[in-house]
Amino acid sequence: MSDGAADSTRRRRRLLGFLSLHYVPALVAIVAMVGILVYADWLHQSSAYQQKRLASLDRLNQIASRLDSDIRGNLYLMRGLVATIEALPGMQQAQFSEIAAQVIQGQSQIINVAAAPGLVVRMVHPYAPNTAVIGLDYMKLPSQRDAVLTARDSGAPVITGPVKLVQGGEALIIRLPVFLPMENGKREFWGILSSVVNLAALYERSGLLDAQNTDRLAIGARTEDGLQLDHFFGDETLLSDDRVSVTLDVGRETWTISAAPKSGFGLSLADVWLFRLQLLLAETIVVLPMVWAGRLMQERQRNLVAIHEREEAMRLLSRRLQVALETSQIGVWEFDPAANLLVWDERMKVLYGWPPDARTATYEDWKDTLHPADFAQAQREFTEVVTNGGEYRSEFRVVGKDGAIRFIRAIGNAYLDGKGRKKIVGVNWDVTQDIRLQADLRRAKRQAEDQHRELEKAHLRMENAALHDALTGLPNRRYLDQILADMEDAGGEMDVTVLHIDLDRFKDINDTLGHAAGDVILKHAAQALKLNVRGSDFVARIGGDEFVVVSRMPGSAEEHSDMASRLVEALSKPVDYEGHECRVGASIGIASRTDASEPVEQLLVDADIALYEAKRRGRNRVERFNETLRLNAVHTKKTADDILRGLEQNEFISFFQPQFDAATLEVVGLEALARWDHPVKGLLGADAFLKIAENLKVLAAIDEIILNQALMQLNRLKLAGMPVQKVSVNISAQRLREEGLIERLAALPILPGSLSFELLESISFDGHDGELVPQIEKIRALGIDIEIDDFGTGYASIVTLLKLTPRRLKIDRQLIQPIVESKAQQQLVRSIIDIGRSRGIEIVAEGVETMEHADILRDLGCHYLQGYALARPMSPADLLPFLKARSWMPLQRLDEVG
Ligand code: C2E
Ligand code: CA
Ligand code: CA
């Protein structure tokens, strides 16, 4: 439910709660009280009304009776005067005035009196102001005649008025008939006595004009027909209002005097509300407790509902707990140590294999089910919580009544119940599966660990094998690399010296006596090294006949040089192999660390450079890496970069040196020689870059460039009609091993006999390079001739070389040069030429620097000549003019030809 909806529901419930039954008594009371209030209010008002009316009437009666008695009083006075006249019918004015004055003096309101014997006024009192009326005949005055006649005829007084007086004010006129008695007993009409009574004085006396009057007053005379009131005094509007009235007979008229309080008969608003307020207060005092009671009842009801809801939630919770316990098979128990009572729920009984209807258990019952092996500990743990309280955790096996063994995990807690008694409550559950699983896992883990150990051992063995050379047992290149890497990681250790050792002439022994002999030599060398280094030095075999010693002991340069010399000496000692005395030598390059920031691996490179230098300077030497070598190395590096650039820029070109027939001195071929047309340094010879190019592994690429140019040049010369038959190109071992070489060569247009590959004698065709032999065979099969270059300088056995059956042998210029001076050297060259000839191999002599050399060689039976004496290597552009000029020819020969 959303918040808004919940809110509105709550509001509605509150409203309904207010209207609920608890407030019914209060509501009834309120309704009744309202009724009472209205009724009492009405009663209060109407009784006040009645009272006011009565009071008004009371006051009015007093006024009316005073008015009545005054009018009567005046009438009596007049009667007295009538009686006087009856007694003295003949009186005259003077006597009348005298009597009248006596009669009306004092309390009378009579203004004047007139006597009209025979209906004509003859006497009047007071006389002076009224002389005008003397002689007035009533019969001639219509306004008075009726009243006069009525008085005569009825024999009773007639009161009329009010009438307006000429002198102002109002008055009542009382007319009395006067009858004179006669002797016959009858009465004879005399005339009329009339008087004017001051009405204002009457009003005054009655209290009508009283200023203190709380009532409004009005007087009206009922008309002859009695239907209407002729108002003549007071507030005329009163006649149409609510009022009280009394009637007063005045002569032959009836006056109605009305009165009503000025404030009306009703209560004042203040009175009404004061009363109502008092009543309301009283009622409130009665009703309020009832409302309060209703409120209390409602609250009680609400509390009841809340309690009910809580109970419901509790029931739900306990049901859920029940379900949870049931599904998880967790049993609940409670132990009362004081009573030794153990309460188990159904699941506990199942766990312990008890029947469901089993009686309540005791501590002993539980103890009896414990597995003997777990008995002591389980009991200890339980006793602990019983005596010391706190948390209880235990795990044990139980033997159920059904005989089954289960692993039980128990958790519990001590607590104090409502009466302060210590109890322990807890749960048990079956962890048999878990325990078994754990045991299985442990077993599996143990097995895995065993296997892991085995693997580790195997790994170590393998690693050892991987790090050691099987033949000599020395650490191998990998191991060395590791050692160096470790040192690198360790930081700038300064005292590091590397000796790079290379056995001299090892290949010869391998080639001549076989691998077994080579192995013996290597083992011997390893032994000799180990014996002659210090204990802490590290010795490794890093290649065929190469060794490295890493020394980390501090020591001077001499000490290391001495050690190196000792090693050279030891390695040079002859070794006996199956009766053969084998001698190898050793060259050593040394490099020591001088700069901690330079990587330790660099020492290996430096030592290698020094070793190379040692070999270059002749064998059995020790050479130390130095500044010069370093500069060389730097130069080499620069050149290497330059070569790569040059290759990209096609700066490598071919020069050609012609080769001559020794007998005729005709040009028979050319040797293509690589040159570097350097943009800055100008034309560079092979020495300047070939070695570096080889190390850069780009020599094969250069060879290919030269080959292409050579073929092109040969073609060009042929087209020019030159009698040049063939071209020779030098071919490196790298080129020979190049992948796809044969396929690429096969694609070239090569006439058999027109192309020759010059292979250096030093390229080994056995052992490592043994695979080159079939390669050479394939080249030969393409119609390319094989030529052994620099013959006589290498160490390859002549036998092996001849096995290759080359087309030509090219005798090294070192052997050629001395022949002019030395007969013995001539002899050596002659024997080479003889061997070749006997095998059908052509002989080329290089380094033919003088014509003397040329003559001797021709005489020795050499086939071809190449050298400065006849032609220097030249650019393709120079080649054709040179061939055409034939300037190399001796003059006599020219003559002969010419
Ligand atoms: P090489 O094959 O023995 O070449 C003959 C070398 O002797 C050339 O030196 C040549 O100029 C020089 N020479 C020729 N006649 C005489 C002479 O009468 N007296 C003296 N003192 N020297 C003479 P270059 O061109 O400097 O070549 C040196 C070496 O470089 C070559 O020796 C060859 O082994 C190698 N080389 C040259 N070009 C190539 C090439 O294209 N590929 C390969 N792989 N090696 C080449
Ligand atoms: Ca050559
Ligand atoms: Ca040569």
Side-chain angles (χ1 to χ4, degrees):
M1 205 192 291
S2 76
D3 279 4
D7 267 2
S8 81
T9 314
R10 254 198 303 282
R11 260 199 307 279
R12 200 159 49 239
R13 203 180 295 159
R14 212 177 306 138
L15 194 68
L16 286 172
F18 185 74
L19 295 176
S20 74
L21 289 174
H22 316 300
Y23 286 101
V24 165
L27 279 174
V28 168
I30 287 169
V31 169
M33 287 302 163
V34 168
I36 288 168
L37 188 105
V38 169
Y39 178 68
D41 186 47
W42 172 80
L43 215 60
H44 172 234
Q45 286 193 48
S46 63
S47 91
Y49 174 79
Q50 289 303 335
Q51 262 169 28
K52 278 194 160 183
R53 275 183 91 88
L54 285 174
S56 260
L57 197 61
D58 203 31
R59 284 193 298 277
L60 190 59
N61 275 328
Q62 281 175 29
I63 288 170
S65 74
R66 270 201 296 273
L67 199 58
D68 189 35
S69 80
D70 278 353
I71 291 170
R72 270 180 221 288
N74 287 320
L75 190 59
Y76 285 139
L77 285 179
M78 290 305 287
R79 283 229 172 93
L81 200 53
V82 167
T84 312
I85 292 171
E86 281 174 351
L88 302 167
M91 76 172 79
Q92 292 301 305
Q93 175 64 45
Q95 198 180 7
F96 180 72
S97 281
E98 197 179 324
I99 295 165
Q102 278 173 12
V103 171
I104 62 174
Q105 73 180 7
Q107 286 298 307
S108 134
Q109 291 82 38
I110 295 170
I111 298 169
N112 60 55
V113 197
L119 299 182
V120 178
V121 178
R122 298 291 175 210
M123 293 165 290
V124 66
H125 174 83
Y127 179 72
N130 298 306
T131 47
V133 295
I134 302 250
L136 186 82
D137 185 355
Y138 288 137
M139 288 306 282
K140 290 179 180 158
L141 276 176
S143 56
Q144 300 203 15
R145 192 179 54 201
D146 276 358
V148 170
L149 290 180
T150 307
R152 183 197 69 189
D153 296 343
S154 66
V158 172
I159 300 171
T160 52
V163 291
K164 293 239 183 317
L165 295 176
V166 183
Q167 64 268 34
E170 282 177 323
L172 284 182
I173 297 169
I174 305 173
R175 293 188 175 83
L176 292 163
V178 183
F179 291 94
L180 300 179
M182 296 192 316
E183 289 93 20
N184 55 2
K186 284 192 184 168
R187 293 163 56 95
E188 183 201 6
F189 181 69
W190 176 81
I192 290 295
L193 183 74
S194 84
S195 62
V196 175
V197 181
N198 186 354
L199 203 53
L202 281 178
Y203 290 162
E204 177 69 46
R205 283 177 51 82
S206 70
L208 270 173
L209 298 177
D210 223 334
Q212 267 94 53
N213 270 348
T214 54
D215 293 321
R216 294 151 70 209
L217 294 161
I219 308 172
R222 187 91 29 211
T223 50
E224 216 112 295
D225 51 16
L227 289 176
Q228 245 183 312
L229 269 181
D230 258 347
H231 168 265
F232 57 88
F233 172 83
D235 186 356
E236 191 175 2
T237 56
L238 181 63
L239 300 182
S240 55
D241 281 353
D242 186 16
R243 63 191 196 280
V244 288
S245 310
V246 291
T247 52
L248 188 67
D249 291 330
V250 182
R252 297 185 53 196
E253 279 187 344
T254 307
W255 285 5
T256 299
I257 309 174
S258 303
K262 282 176 182 156
S263 56
F265 295 112
L267 280 169
S268 75
L269 222 57
D271 284 344
V272 169
W273 280 109
L274 184 68
F275 177 77
R276 285 180 185 169
L277 268 175
Q278 285 165 351
L279 205 64
L280 201 68
L281 201 71
E283 286 185 351
T284 307
I285 288 166
V286 174
V287 170
L288 214 58
M290 297 180 86
V291 174
W292 181 248
R295 221 188 102 80
L296 287 180
M297 271 168 71
Q298 193 194 22
E299 201 153 277
R300 179 175 164 272
Q301 182 64 29
R302 222 179 274 146
N303 288 342
L304 281 173
V305 168
I307 287 167
H308 182 74
E309 278 172 1
R310 260 207 297 281
E311 274 174 357
E312 192 55 39
M314 200 70 179
R315 246 201 305 282
L316 198 70
L317 207 66
S318 104
R319 205 162 39 236
R320 281 188 197 146
L321 181 66
Q322 204 67 12
V323 170
L325 289 172
E326 248 159 45
T327 47
S328 61
Q329 294 298 320
I330 291 177
V332 181
W333 52 268
E334 191 179 52
F335 181 58
D336 182 346
N340 185 24
L341 197 68
L342 193 55
V343 182
W344 280 1
D345 72 354
E346 294 306 309
R347 283 172 301 278
M348 279 298 283
K349 288 173 188 166
V350 172
L351 278 177
Y352 283 77
W354 280 34
D357 55 347
R359 61 184 170 85
T360 45
T362 62
Y363 174 59
E364 283 71 30
D365 290 331
W366 175 70
K367 237 166 56 178
D368 290 347
T369 61
L370 290 175
H371 190 281
D374 300 343
F375 183 83
Q377 185 174 348
Q379 219 188 341
R380 197 170 51 246
E381 284 166 347
F382 192 67
T383 320
E384 164 72 17
V385 69
V386 170
T387 45
N388 297 331
E391 199 175 89
Y392 166 61
R393 255 169 207 281
S394 186
E395 205 171 282
F396 44 80
R397 272 165 290 175
V398 297
V399 185
K401 288 230 151 123
D402 50 3
I405 293 177
R406 292 184 183 83
F407 283 90
I408 300 288
R409 188 165 294 157
I411 293 178
N413 237 317
Y415 75 101
L416 295 179
D417 71 2
K419 291 167 188 157
R421 280 181 312 218
K422 187 204 270 177
K423 284 193 176 165
I424 296 110
V425 68
V427 293
N428 275 189
W429 72 94
D430 189 341
V431 290
T432 312
Q433 287 297 327
D434 291 7
I435 300 280
R436 291 215 177 107
L437 208 65
Q438 271 173 21
D440 287 352
L441 281 173
R442 266 200 298 276
R443 223 181 355 265
K445 187 169 172 251
R446 246 198 322 275
Q447 269 172 14
E449 276 168 0
D450 288 350
Q451 276 172 7
H452 184 71
R453 258 194 301 281
E454 282 301 309
L455 278 172
E456 196 81 331
K457 271 191 224 156
H459 178 69
L460 273 178
R461 277 199 297 274
M462 270 154 59
E463 201 162 63
N464 193 55
L467 292 176
H468 288 82
D469 164 41
L471 180 67
T472 62
L474 285 178
N476 59 13
R477 172 79 206 215
R478 216 148 133 238
Y479 201 164
L480 172 68
D481 287 344
Q482 250 178 44
I483 290 279
L484 294 180
D486 289 351
M487 284 167 69
E488 187 63 34
D489 291 346
E493 191 178 337
M494 277 301 287
D495 293 311
V496 185
T497 296
V498 170
L499 279 69
H500 195 167
I501 300 146
D502 187 278
L503 298 185
D504 297 330
R505 289 184 298 276
F506 173 72
K507 268 197 185 93
D508 294 345
I509 291 173
N510 231 5
D511 289 352
T512 50
L513 297 177
H515 288 296
D519 288 354
V520 169
I521 294 292
L522 289 172
K523 279 188 204 168
H524 171 260
Q527 203 57 35
L529 287 173
K530 275 198 263 186
L531 284 172
N532 286 285
V533 299
R534 285 173 295 188
S536 61
D537 293 341
F538 174 84
V539 184
R541 180 187 171 206
I542 62 165
D545 58 352
E546 287 181 54
F547 299 85
V548 162
V549 174
V550 179
S551 170
R552 299 168 73 177
M553 291 282 280
S556 65
E558 276 100 288
E559 274 179 71
H560 286 117
S561 296
D562 287 352
M563 184 169 85
S565 301
R566 255 195 337 272
L567 289 176
V568 170
E569 204 180 307
L571 291 168
S572 302
K573 288 217 177 92
V575 180
D576 180 72
Y577 173 71
E578 290 180 352
H580 297 273
E581 195 181 71
C582 306
R583 270 181 193 278
V584 291
S587 301
I588 300 183
I590 306 178
S592 293
R593 201 171 204 183
T594 53
D595 180 359
S597 68
E598 148 185 285
V600 75
E601 281 87 357
Q602 184 62 37
L603 284 179
L604 213 58
V605 177
D606 294 350
D608 191 35
I609 291 168
L611 172 63
Y612 183 75
E613 183 65 10
K615 282 192 168 180
R616 202 178 64 78
R617 294 194 173 195
R619 321 236 153 179
N620 275 353
R621 287 179 63 95
V622 174
E623 206 63 47
R624 174 170 279 276
F625 182 73
N626 55 31
E627 189 57 17
T628 316
L629 290 179
R630 197 186 65 78
L631 286 175
N632 281 348
V634 169
H635 167 76
T636 303
K637 171 77 175 103
K638 268 196 202 143
T639 310
D641 293 343
D642 212 11
I643 287 171
L644 294 176
R645 187 197 52 76
L647 272 172
E648 267 177 24
Q649 308 285 318
N650 293 321
E651 286 170 12
F652 291 91
I653 56 166
S654 182
F655 265 42
F656 296 94
Q657 188 177 30
Q659 294 171 331
F660 301 86
D661 185 310
T664 65
L665 293 187
E666 286 299 327
V667 173
V668 290
L670 303 165
E671 180 179 7
L673 293 163
R675 296 291 180 269
W676 184 358
D677 190 7
H678 197 279
V680 178
K681 296 175 183 164
L683 197 65
L684 296 177
D687 294 344
F689 60 89
L690 279 188
K691 190 69 210 163
I692 299 168
E694 184 178 6
N695 289 335
L696 262 180
K697 308 257 186 277
V698 294
L699 197 46
I702 292 177
D703 282 354
E704 181 158 23
I705 292 167
I706 301 303
L707 170 62
N708 288 333
Q709 293 188 11
L711 289 175
M712 211 170 73
Q713 208 54 43
L714 185 65
N715 209 32
R716 184 171 153 251
L717 291 179
K718 272 186 186 159
L719 289 175
M722 290 296 131
V724 181
Q725 299 303 314
K726 61 164 271 281
V727 67
S728 302
V729 296
N730 295 283
I731 189 148
S732 60
Q734 270 173 30
R735 172 78 164 154
L736 274 180
R737 287 197 200 94
E738 199 182 24
E739 224 171 283
L741 174 69
I742 304 300
E743 288 74 19
R744 280 214 296 286
L745 290 177
L748 294 173
I750 298 165
L751 277 179
S754 70
L755 180 63
S756 175
F757 276 4
E758 293 188 13
L759 271 64
L760 283 184
E761 187 212 29
S762 58
I763 295 177
S764 168
F765 300 102
D766 303 297
H768 244 12
D769 295 335
E771 78 262 23
L772 289 182
V773 177
Q775 184 82 339
I776 290 166
E777 287 306 324
K778 284 178 195 158
I779 291 169
R780 203 206 312 276
L782 291 172
I784 299 169
D785 290 335
I786 299 298
E787 205 163 321
I788 301 295
D789 202 355
D790 292 350
F791 188 79
T793 54
Y795 301 89
S797 71
I798 200 160
V799 187
T800 324
L801 285 180
L802 294 177
K803 257 197 256 166
L804 285 173
T805 57
R807 174 79 186 271
R808 275 181 285 269
L809 279 182
K810 200 171 179 182
I811 303 171
D812 191 83
R813 63 175 172 275
Q814 283 178 40
L815 297 180
I816 298 300
Q817 257 153 17
I819 55 168
V820 179
E821 270 86 45
S822 165
K823 280 275 169 220
Q825 202 68 28
Q826 263 186 38
Q827 199 49 52
L828 175 64
V829 171
R830 182 200 299 276
S831 55
I832 294 172
I833 293 169
D834 288 347
I835 293 169
R837 278 187 167 273
S838 68
R839 302 273 173 142
I841 299 170
E842 293 171 341
I843 307 296
V844 186
E846 64 171 22
V848 180
E849 292 186 349
T850 63
M851 286 314 288
E852 217 180 332
H853 281 93
D855 291 339
I856 295 170
L857 287 165
R858 180 195 60 224
D859 294 343
L860 288 176
C862 184
H863 295 94
Y864 306 111
L865 305 175
Q866 185 183 344
Y868 294 168
L870 295 162
R872 289 186 171 254
M874 61 191 78
S875 75
D878 293 341
L879 198 54
L880 204 52
F882 174 82
L883 291 177
K884 282 185 175 155
R886 295 174 64 80
S887 52
W888 69 88
M889 284 293 188
L891 289 171
Q892 74 271 21
R893 299 245 176 148
L894 280 175
D895 293 345
E896 278 170 27
V897 171

